[in-house]
Amino acid sequence: QVQLVESGGGSVQAGGSLRLSCVASGHTISSYCMGWFRQAPGKEREGVAHIGSDGWLRYADSVKGRFTISRDNPKNALYLQLNSLKPEDTAMYYCAAGVGYGDNWCGYNSWGQGTQVTVSS
């Protein structure tokens, strides 16, 4: 498994932006599909954005047009640009890595510890 460490979370006002980073170690990520998940208090964890090893993308409807996932394989890093943030985006955000299967799906098996994003109105 690959080890993942997130950073970049913080507190912002609605309409603001943040950029989350996830640095991997132990394995190169070039062959992994990667993703960002979030979990708010009292809610289930949800997938936010996903990117395949060949670059396919998938976003949750709630973040389409506002969030952008990207990867830098030479740096072994994954990013999530969060724009036009809303109070409902408040959550712990987790980075994940896994193995692709089927039609652009990812079986995640490595998780980071998370970084907190808080958006105030």
Side-chain angles (χ1 to χ4, degrees):
Q1 290 185 341
V2 61
Q3 287 75 50
L4 303 168
V5 178
E6 305 94 332
S7 63
S11 297
V12 297
Q13 291 190 327
S17 297
L18 285 171
R19 188 189 193 211
L20 306 184
S21 298
C22 171
V23 177
S25 62
H27 293 275
T28 57
I29 66 168
S30 59
S31 62
Y32 287 82
C33 47
M34 306 286 292
W36 288 97
F37 291 75
R38 67 185 181 186
Q39 187 167 20
K43 295 187 177 181
E44 292 186 355
R45 184 172 59 191
E46 64 170 336
V48 174
H50 313 270
I51 183 168
S53 59
D54 59 358
W56 59 259
L57 301 174
R58 180 177 290 118
Y59 293 95
D61 288 343
S62 59
V63 307
K64 281 181 182 177
R66 299 189 299 122
F67 291 8
T68 303
I69 188 171
S70 61
R71 62 193 298 162
D72 187 335
N73 289 339
K75 292 184 178 180
N76 235 28
L78 178 74
Y79 306 102
L80 186 68
Q81 179 68 40
L82 294 73
N83 295 330
S84 303
L85 281 161
K86 305 176 181 179
E88 51 264 43
D89 294 318
T90 295
M92 185 72 78
Y93 283 70
Y94 299 90
C95 169
V99 178
Y101 68 95
D103 185 15
N104 296 343
W105 293 99
C106 188
Y108 292 102
N109 55 22
S110 297
W111 298 85
Q113 294 300 305
T115 185
Q116 177 68 37
V117 172
T118 302
V119 185
S120 58
S121 57

